[in-house]
Amino acid sequence: MGLPTDAQADRPLRRDRTMWAGVMIGLGLMAAVDEIVFHQLLAWHSFYDRAGGTVGLVSDGVLHAAELFLLIAGFFLLASTLRRETASAGAALAGLFLGAGGFQLFDGLINHKVLRFHQIRYGVDVLPYDLAWNAAALVLLLVGAVLAGVVARRRRRSGSGTTADRPDA
């Protein structure tokens, strides 16, 4: 099992399903990094700090459950495309970066600034943290967009879209 080979070129790749699998995995992965590093190890904040105490802890549990759901669903979708030999490595990687960057930017702008669920840190000048947080999100999104563009160009170049973004194509 694995990504399709040239011998299987008659099967169309499902970049859309593969990219969505990558997006789901990227969202879940970045939520896990946020939850583990910033919520638990550094204890800088909880998902919902405005209430504190038990509510903050429960909100972290809800975030953890959502992250696990996204990871499991994303891997099941990816496994489905792999089983059907229609997976696209480039689309999966592009989706992973787009999902990770999307989570990071949504968290940095919506959760931190608009809804004010929490800040990255408390008791410090938050501007450098906000800039670094959102810059990292933009870098991840840029990498994902570049990879998605490469996948699209290869697909157009191949004409049929069957071997467009295989590493061996």
Side-chain angles (χ1 to χ4, degrees):
M1 187 179 312
L3 293 177
T5 64
D6 285 334
Q8 300 155 333
D10 59 328
R11 294 191 176 142
L13 294 177
R14 292 296 309 261
R15 283 175 197 77
D16 53 343
R17 287 177 57 110
T18 310
M19 188 169 299
W20 277 112
V23 166
M24 292 167 72
I25 293 167
L27 285 166
L29 184 63
M30 190 52 69
V33 168
D34 182 32
E35 169 70 23
I36 293 166
V37 174
F38 297 100
H39 297 213
Q40 294 175 12
L41 295 176
L42 296 174
W44 283 0
H45 61 261
S46 292
F47 180 72
Y48 187 68
D49 277 341
R50 293 174 71 180
T54 302
V55 174
L57 185 61
V58 169
S59 70
D60 281 346
V62 170
L63 175 62
H64 187 62
E67 119 207 349
L68 284 175
F69 172 79
L70 285 166
L71 285 168
I72 291 167
F75 279 114
F76 268 97
L77 185 57
L78 184 60
S80 171
T81 59
L82 286 169
R83 250 190 330 276
R84 294 180 179 142
E85 298 174 339
T86 59
S88 164
L93 194 57
L96 181 112
F97 278 99
L98 290 170
F103 174 87
Q104 187 85 355
L105 191 61
F106 182 88
D107 190 44
L109 296 178
I110 304 302
N111 290 337
H112 296 179
K113 300 303 169 198
V114 175
L115 299 175
R116 303 188 72 61
F117 283 163
H118 60 262
Q119 292 298 318
I120 297 171
R121 280 193 81 175
Y122 293 95
V124 298
D125 179 14
V126 76
L127 181 62
Y129 291 94
D130 285 338
L131 293 174
W133 193 270
N134 293 319
L138 293 174
V139 167
L140 291 166
L141 286 169
L142 179 64
V143 169
V146 167
L147 289 171
V150 168
V151 168
R153 278 191 301 281
R154 286 182 178 174
R155 182 180 200 177
R156 281 193 304 273
R157 193 172 56 226
S158 73
S160 66
T162 57
T163 60
D165 60 327
R166 293 192 186 124
D168 58 348

